[in-house]
Amino acid sequence: MANDVKVYTVNGATAGSSSSLPDWLTRKREAKGQGKRAIREHIDGTIELIQGFEFPEASNRIQSTRDGHHIVATGTYKPQIRVWDLDQLSMKFERHTDAENIDFVMLSDDWTKSIHLQNDRTIELHTQGGHHYRTRIPRFGRSLAYHFPSCDAYVTASGSEIYRLNLDQGRFMNPLVLTSEDGDIPGVNVVDINPAHQLLAFGIEGGGAVKFWDPRSRSSVGTLRLSTNKLMQASADVINSEHFSVTAISSRNDGLSYAIGTSSGHTLLYDIRATRPFALKDQGYGLPVKKLIWIDGGSRMAGDGMVISADKKVIKFWDRNNPSINFASITPANDLNDLHHVPGSGLILTANEGIQMATYYIPQLGPAPRWASFLENITEEMEDSTTRSVYEDFKFVERAELKTLGLDYLIGTPTLKPYMHGYFVSLKLYEAARLISNPFAYADHREKMVREKMEKMAETRIRTKKEPSVKVNKALAEKIIREEERVKKKEERRRQKKAERGEADIEVDAEQKERPSVLNDSRFAAVFEDRNYAIDENSREYALLNPSAVAQQRSSARPKTAVEEEEEESEKSSSDGLGSDSDDDSDNEDSSDAGDLTEYDPRARLHQKNIQSEKTFSKAREWNRNAECTSNVNLVPMRTQNNGSHVDTNATFGQRRISSTAKKRQSFLASDAHYTADGGMEVSWMPSSGPQDPGDTLVSGGGPPKKGKTKRPSVESFGAGMEKGAVNSPVQFSEGKGRTQRRKGVRSGSKNAFRKMDG
């Protein structure tokens, strides 16, 4: 469709579509016959204007009879002729031949008489009863035309001779011999007979020339040489004059205009009275032009005066007065071999390399023909043409998916049908392989459908606050929202400071507009809605990109110690007094207000109190007082010792060691043990000031009390004059002097320490 001109496909594959069924699949369905599936496809698919409008392999030529009741086409394989009755919209008969057809001409107004040029150098005459007569020509033919006034059939072939077969006399006449100033003519590609004055035009291969002959004088009346310089100016390709040929000629009914197609893909429009073209059209593909048609229909035809040019890739409709603009353009699904326009209508028939012959209807080009007048009423229904990618019996699978299913070993077997960049596989085999490779596919699909339905129902609930719908990556969405709020506050503070200084901000209105957000952008909607875009925070890639976030998660997983809690509390308390605006505004201007960095500035005013330091000190003192009152300390009661009277001086070192070790193990098991998040264990205990057993004297600090030292109740002594248990009583530093000289003859250490025992 070009310039809002609608093109309806009423037969064959949709124009410009690669979703048509493969030829092997069409042949297989045709072999199975017409069943329920064929009826369903007819209803669901595009409308089929003419039933059975196809050939087993490809079609070569197509024409409609002059009475407008039949369509005659030739195709292969096997080589045959088919005739369709347009009153019944179905095929009338088919007739097989010995060789493929190159060109044919209808001799009568209906389908009963025709002449055919075959690719084995034969010319066949067919009548209503069948094959009538066959003759041969010396060279391989290329084109065929019939001159009705003289009953001469002109056959062009390789070489410079034009063969004439007179059907009235039933014999060959003297051939027309073409000459050229450049030398021998390698061949004549096309012949055209003007319907107004019967002037013959022959398109020459090589040299880019057109020879005109008058059939009455049987002599050349002129030569038209195409200008290669003009064509090279119109296109960037370099044209070789030796291989530049004329491949198509069409004359208009007015007898003055000629359309000439070249091997370079150009179409030139000439007036027979001038040597220069008045219009030039480039097909764009650089392929030889196969067919040229003048659209003549009078005032009732909207396309009157237009030209149809076609190569094997594209069909273009354009105005002869404005060739640079296309009225319409059609790109068939298969390569074109021939094109026919039904006179006085907007219907186009094509013969192509596919099984089905395509038929296109353009309402703006002309009305529907009489035998298909219903097309004008059903064009609205044909607009909704759907393309299928999954067939009922076959599934298209790419090579990567084939390997995933474990069916790659079937490549090269009849089970897999190669098509484009993949293969067609039987749908039953595909389902079986898919279930074997993933037996939970249906359960996963059902769970996904249920989840999507539940989420859709949840979206319909009434919410008090309208927020962006975030289903996945909520942490990322919160981060984006925090960043946007920070930027908004920063800009607000900047405007307030400018207003205080009396500076006018000319960009206030622009900045007050709502800024585009990633959360509201439709391009990134799937990042916060589709679970396939969820960020895996446990992956290695996420840890490499966000090392600080991962470390923070790991630290938050384990409980904080008292020291960490104290540091965090102190950081919070210290950050309360710091100016948060200084960081945001540092990129725009220096801080000038007192208190942006700290509330205490000794230079600002003498005898000023450091209020922030006092707040921090008071909070720390209060916390220490609470911790001292609520600390979990196991106090060990003091026990009297009798100067070592219960110590067995005869016991060996091992015996005394065993008793102390057993007691320590019991105290360790009774202590509180805490397990950390990373698998470690923390144990806390309070050391005893003396042994539980008076006989155990190996414990550090477990000796008898020194002489001259009074013992107070509920007080524990340990170390060098240190005591514990007297919370309310002040410590008398005069009583805690400790030792004044080093012990003699004693080696002290940790648990393994021992004292020198006297025998």
Side-chain angles (χ1 to χ4, degrees):
M1 185 172 64
N3 298 330
D4 295 333
V5 176
K6 295 182 179 180
V7 179
Y8 299 97
T9 303
V10 294
N11 266 113
T14 305
S17 172
S18 60
S19 61
S20 58
L21 298 179
D23 293 347
W24 58 267
L25 185 57
T26 306
R27 289 196 299 269
K28 184 173 182 179
R29 292 186 175 184
E30 186 181 69
K32 289 183 178 180
Q34 300 293 333
K36 294 182 179 179
R37 210 259 307 275
I39 298 174
R40 184 166 59 254
E41 287 180 355
H42 174 71
I43 297 174
D44 297 339
T46 57
I47 294 178
E48 188 175 358
L49 179 62
I50 304 174
Q51 303 297 321
F53 198 59
E54 60 186 19
F55 278 91
E57 288 290 343
S59 50
N60 297 329
R61 295 287 178 175
I62 185 171
Q63 287 185 17
S64 63
T65 58
R66 286 186 289 274
D67 60 2
H69 292 283
H70 299 86
I71 293 177
V72 183
T74 59
T76 189
Y77 178 82
K78 300 178 181 179
Q80 53 189 290
I81 304 169
R82 290 188 175 184
V83 178
W84 285 269
D85 189 352
L86 298 180
D87 296 331
Q88 302 296 328
L89 297 178
S90 61
M91 187 172 65
K92 187 177 184 66
F93 69 90
E94 64 179 7
R95 184 180 298 168
H96 290 262
T97 58
D98 296 336
E100 288 189 24
N101 180 260
I102 295 177
D103 199 0
F104 72 93
V105 176
M106 301 304 300
L107 300 178
S108 61
D109 292 340
D110 55 5
W111 60 270
T112 55
K113 296 179 182 180
S114 59
I115 181 171
H116 298 261
L117 175 64
Q118 309 295 91
N119 65 352
D120 60 348
R121 295 189 295 129
T122 62
I123 298 176
E124 294 184 357
L125 297 172
H126 289 260
T127 61
Q128 185 176 4
H131 175 263
H132 177 70
Y133 183 76
R134 177 187 295 113
T135 185
R136 300 190 69 180
I137 57 177
R139 296 176 181 269
F140 289 96
R142 297 186 180 182
S143 180
L144 177 65
Y146 183 72
H147 188 249
F148 286 91
S150 62
C151 298
D152 287 340
Y154 292 89
V155 182
T156 64
S158 57
S160 60
E161 294 182 343
I162 310 297
Y163 303 106
R164 293 192 301 144
L165 176 61
N166 189 280
L167 301 183
D168 185 23
Q169 301 179 22
R171 64 188 181 92
F172 280 99
M173 309 300 288
N174 293 329
L176 304 179
V177 181
L178 305 182
T179 59
S180 176
E181 298 177 356
D182 300 334
D184 295 338
I185 297 176
V188 182
N189 293 325
V190 62
V191 57
D192 177 76
I193 301 177
N194 195 298
H197 44 66
Q198 307 300 317
L199 184 65
L200 302 178
F202 302 101
I204 306 302
E205 179 182 359
V210 179
K211 296 287 185 176
F212 293 95
W213 280 65
D214 188 355
R216 297 169 296 180
S217 63
R218 299 174 187 175
S219 61
S220 177
V221 296
T223 302
L224 175 63
R225 294 188 178 276
L226 307 183
S227 176
T228 58
N229 295 330
K230 188 176 183 60
L231 297 180
M232 284 190 294
Q233 293 177 1
S235 63
D237 299 334
V238 178
I239 299 175
N240 190 354
S241 59
E242 296 181 358
H243 303 284
F244 183 61
S245 306
V246 177
T247 57
I249 300 177
S250 177
S251 56
R252 196 181 180 190
N253 291 333
D254 60 0
L256 298 176
S257 302
Y258 275 87
I260 300 175
T262 65
S263 58
S264 61
H266 295 86
T267 301
L268 298 93
L269 302 184
Y270 282 90
D271 191 299
I272 198 173
R273 298 164 293 185
T275 58
R276 293 184 178 182
F278 65 86
L280 174 63
K281 182 67 175 180
D282 187 5
Q283 292 291 109
Y285 286 93
L287 300 174
V289 178
K290 286 183 173 291
K291 194 75 172 182
L292 292 172
I293 299 175
W294 290 89
I295 300 178
D296 294 319
S299 59
R300 69 187 187 92
M301 281 287 294
D304 185 37
M306 288 190 178
V307 181
I308 305 176
S309 58
D311 56 15
K312 70 176 184 179
K313 291 294 185 182
V314 65
I315 306 172
K316 291 187 177 182
F317 302 79
W318 45 282
D319 190 355
R320 58 191 176 92
N321 298 321
N322 190 10
S324 60
I325 300 177
N326 292 330
F327 173 76
S329 180
I330 301 175
T331 304
N334 302 299
D335 293 345
L336 284 177
N337 289 329
D338 194 17
L339 177 71
H340 178 72
H341 170 244
V342 178
S345 70
L347 200 65
I348 306 297
L349 308 176
T350 63
N352 49 52
E353 290 295 330
I355 293 178
Q356 292 183 332
M357 293 188 294
T359 305
Y360 306 105
Y361 174 55
I362 307 177
Q364 297 183 6
L365 185 65
R370 179 184 54 81
W371 48 269
S373 58
F374 56 87
L375 286 178
E376 298 180 356
N377 299 326
I378 62 175
T379 51
E380 295 181 358
E381 299 178 5
M382 291 188 293
E383 291 181 4
D384 302 330
S385 59
T386 58
T387 58
R388 297 175 299 171
S389 58
V390 179
Y391 309 122
E392 186 172 348
D393 294 337
F394 290 90
K395 168 73 175 177
F396 180 79
V397 182
E398 296 182 357
R399 184 181 290 269
E401 186 179 359
L402 200 66
K403 187 176 181 180
T404 304
L405 296 175
L407 300 178
D408 52 345
Y409 68 93
L410 296 176
I411 297 177
T413 62
T415 307
L416 299 180
K417 305 290 185 180
Y419 186 72
M420 294 195 301
H421 60 285
Y423 301 89
F424 274 106
V425 62
S426 175
L427 193 59
K428 295 182 180 179
L429 178 60
Y430 173 80
E431 293 294 342
R434 189 169 61 88
L435 291 177
I436 293 174
S437 61
N438 187 10
F440 303 101
Y442 175 75
D444 296 342
H445 175 71
R446 185 177 182 276
E447 182 181 358
K448 181 180 179 181
M449 295 297 293
V450 172
R451 184 171 59 252
E452 291 179 354
K453 189 174 181 180
M454 295 296 294
E455 292 176 354
K456 187 176 181 180
M457 294 174 61
E459 291 178 356
T460 59
R461 297 175 182 173
I462 300 175
R463 293 179 174 84
T464 58
K465 185 179 180 181
K466 184 178 180 181
E467 296 180 353
S469 59
V470 178
K471 301 178 182 178
V472 294
N473 299 329
K474 294 184 178 180
L476 177 61
E478 293 176 356
K479 181 180 178 182
I480 293 173
I481 293 174
R482 288 196 303 268
E483 184 67 20
E484 291 177 352
E485 292 178 352
R486 188 187 68 82
V487 173
K488 189 182 297 183
K489 292 180 180 179
K490 175 181 174 182
E491 293 179 354
E492 184 66 24
R493 287 191 297 269
R494 184 175 63 85
R495 287 196 297 267
Q496 290 178 359
K497 290 183 178 180
K498 285 187 177 182
E500 292 176 358
R501 292 194 299 266
E503 297 179 1
D505 194 353
I506 61 175
E507 299 181 358
V508 172
D509 296 338
E511 292 179 356
Q512 286 180 353
K513 295 182 180 179
E514 185 178 359
R515 291 178 174 267
S517 175
V518 178
L519 298 176
N520 300 328
D521 197 337
S522 59
R523 297 174 297 175
F524 306 99
V527 178
F528 304 100
E529 295 179 359
D530 193 352
R531 296 185 180 274
N532 295 327
Y533 291 92
I535 299 175
D536 186 6
E537 298 182 356
N538 298 324
S539 63
R540 182 173 178 270
E541 291 77 5
Y542 180 82
L544 293 176
L545 295 174
N546 304 276
S548 59
V550 175
Q552 185 177 3
Q553 291 178 1
R554 292 179 179 176
S555 62
S556 62
R558 64 178 180 84
K560 296 181 180 179
T561 61
V563 178
E564 292 176 347
E565 291 179 356
E566 181 180 358
E567 291 178 354
E568 183 179 0
E569 184 67 24
S570 62
E571 289 177 359
K572 290 182 179 179
S573 60
S574 62
S575 62
D576 293 340
L578 296 179
S580 59
D581 299 346
S582 60
D583 296 338
D584 297 338
D585 299 337
S586 59
D587 55 345
N588 295 329
E589 58 185 9
D590 296 336
S591 177
S592 60
D593 297 339
D596 286 347
L597 298 178
T598 179
E599 296 181 0
Y600 175 73
D601 186 4
R603 298 173 297 177
R605 183 181 300 175
L606 296 177
H607 307 289
Q608 180 185 0
K609 295 183 180 180
N610 193 344
I611 302 175
Q612 182 60 35
S613 300
E614 293 180 358
K615 289 182 180 180
T616 305
F617 179 74
S618 61
K619 289 183 179 180
R621 183 176 56 186
E622 185 69 21
W623 185 87
N624 291 334
R625 184 181 296 108
N626 296 335
E628 184 178 1
C629 296
T630 59
S631 60
N632 186 11
V633 179
N634 295 326
L635 301 179
V636 180
M638 297 291 295
R639 293 187 180 184
T640 58
Q641 299 180 0
N642 298 324
N643 297 328
S645 60
H646 294 283
V647 177
D648 188 2
T649 58
N650 296 326
T652 63
F653 174 79
Q655 293 174 352
R656 293 192 297 273
R657 182 62 180 165
I658 290 173
S659 61
S660 63
T661 304
K663 293 179 181 180
K664 289 181 180 181
R665 183 179 296 109
Q666 293 177 1
S667 63
F668 171 75
L669 295 176
S671 62
D672 295 335
H674 304 281
Y675 292 90
T676 61
D678 55 356
M681 181 174 65
E682 296 180 355
V683 181
S684 61
W685 72 91
M686 296 300 299
S688 176
S689 60
Q692 300 294 333
D693 190 357
D696 189 1
T697 59
L698 293 177
V699 182
S700 178
K706 294 183 179 182
K707 296 179 180 181
K709 193 172 185 180
T710 60
K711 190 71 175 181
R712 291 182 299 169
S714 301
V715 177
E716 295 179 4
S717 300
F718 60 93
M722 302 181 70
E723 296 179 350
K724 178 181 288 188
V727 179
N728 298 325
S729 300
V731 179
Q732 300 295 333
F733 292 97
S734 60
E735 299 178 359
K737 296 180 180 179
R739 292 189 296 269
T740 58
Q741 61 181 357
R742 185 175 181 178
R743 295 173 181 174
K744 298 180 179 180
V746 178
R747 177 182 173 185
S748 62
S750 59
K751 293 189 233 182
N752 299 326
F754 62 91
R755 298 177 180 273
K756 183 177 180 181
M757 307 299 298
D758 295 334

